[in-house]
Amino acid sequence: MQSQWITLESSDGFLCPAWEAVPEGTPRGAVVVLQEIFGVNSHIRAVAERFAARGYLAVAPALFTRVQPDVDLGYTPEDMQAGFALKTSVDQLPGAGILPDIQAAIDHAAARSGAAVGIVGFCWGGLMAWQAACELTGLAAAVSYYGGGMTTSAEVARQPRCPALAHFASQDQWIALDGVQAFAAAHPEVQCHVYDAHHGFNCDQRGAYDEAAAVSARNRTLAFFNQHLA
């Protein structure tokens, strides 16, 4: 496996850095990995590399670059405050915002791998993965982990263009369980799973990490991608 920073060019000419992890041999598929509010930090890079270790070409675009380059935060309260401020700034971008950057990652992953492309996102990236599944082209599958904002009426009103899987946590302080249940009822075509865990349960660098939930969600995600990408 090889991993490195590359540069993507979006449809408006914007140059977006991305972490790319390339498996040995012919990729079985490709996965675009969307960050939390902490940037393409060591955790997100590791997620991409784990997908590559399983045969998928993985690309993680640095989605804060339009407002601030080289964001690599940890998980302290100060980091969370800084990440939320950056996310708020991105939300205020005009037009399509960062969706062109995600589309550029999808297009690159398809061209580089010659295979079907899926997308997975965590927290804010989970929301963006849902939006990508509903608004962008070239995706064969989408997975969202505790997507903040997915349960709002505007997001529930969207319709995915590809098969979708969503992981939520029953003890998530940011996403109310009744909202998750309403989302699942509105989207019977989306595979929704709720874990007895907290927000961020997949990240082994956070205090909220829950190994049982993370392993269960990972196995479901890999089976989903194996079904739709491989």
Side-chain angles (χ1 to χ4, degrees):
M1 181 189 67
Q2 294 181 337
S3 55
Q4 63 179 346
W5 284 103
I6 62 170
T7 301
L8 307 172
E9 183 172 355
S10 301
S11 58
D12 61 355
F14 183 77
L15 299 180
C16 179
W19 185 254
E20 180 185 65
V22 181
E24 294 183 6
T26 302
R28 61 183 301 171
V31 179
V32 173
V33 180
L34 302 186
Q35 64 181 66
E36 302 167 305
I37 62 170
F38 308 103
V40 181
N41 60 8
S42 60
H43 170 60
I44 295 300
R45 297 194 300 272
V47 169
E49 289 163 4
R50 284 195 289 269
F51 276 114
R54 292 179 177 272
Y56 293 97
L57 181 136
V59 182
L63 298 179
F64 282 158
T65 305
R66 287 181 185 260
V67 297
Q68 183 174 315
D70 304 323
V71 176
D72 186 341
L73 299 173
Y75 297 95
T76 67
E78 293 77 16
D79 289 328
M80 186 165 292
Q81 185 176 14
F84 186 79
L86 288 165
K87 177 258 184 195
T88 301
S89 295
V90 168
D91 288 345
Q92 295 171 349
L93 289 170
I98 61 169
L99 286 177
D101 305 334
I102 299 173
Q103 185 68 65
I106 296 168
D107 295 343
H108 170 83
R112 185 84 161 83
S113 68
V117 180
I119 195 166
V120 60
F122 303 86
C123 184
W124 175 62
L127 170 63
M128 299 313 301
W130 170 247
Q131 291 187 6
C134 299
E135 303 296 331
L136 302 182
T137 61
L139 288 173
V143 178
S144 173
Y145 279 75
Y146 31 84
M150 275 181 66
T151 59
T152 64
S153 57
E155 296 302 328
V156 172
R158 298 183 191 270
Q159 294 295 324
R161 299 178 177 181
C162 65
L165 168 65
H167 304 296
F168 294 102
S170 63
Q171 301 175 55
D172 195 322
Q173 62 177 319
W174 308 108
I175 307 172
L177 188 57
D178 58 353
V180 172
Q181 293 167 340
F183 177 91
H187 287 284
E189 78 284 3
V190 177
Q191 294 185 35
C192 291
H193 297 280
V194 179
Y195 304 83
D196 183 17
H198 295 273
H199 187 88
F201 66 79
N202 181 71
C203 178
D204 56 8
Q205 297 183 21
R206 302 177 71 165
Y209 176 65
D210 187 297
E211 183 177 11
V215 169
S216 180
R218 181 189 65 199
N219 289 342
R220 284 172 170 153
T221 297
L222 291 171
F224 189 72
F225 282 154
N226 185 62
Q227 176 185 358
H228 295 291
L229 305 183

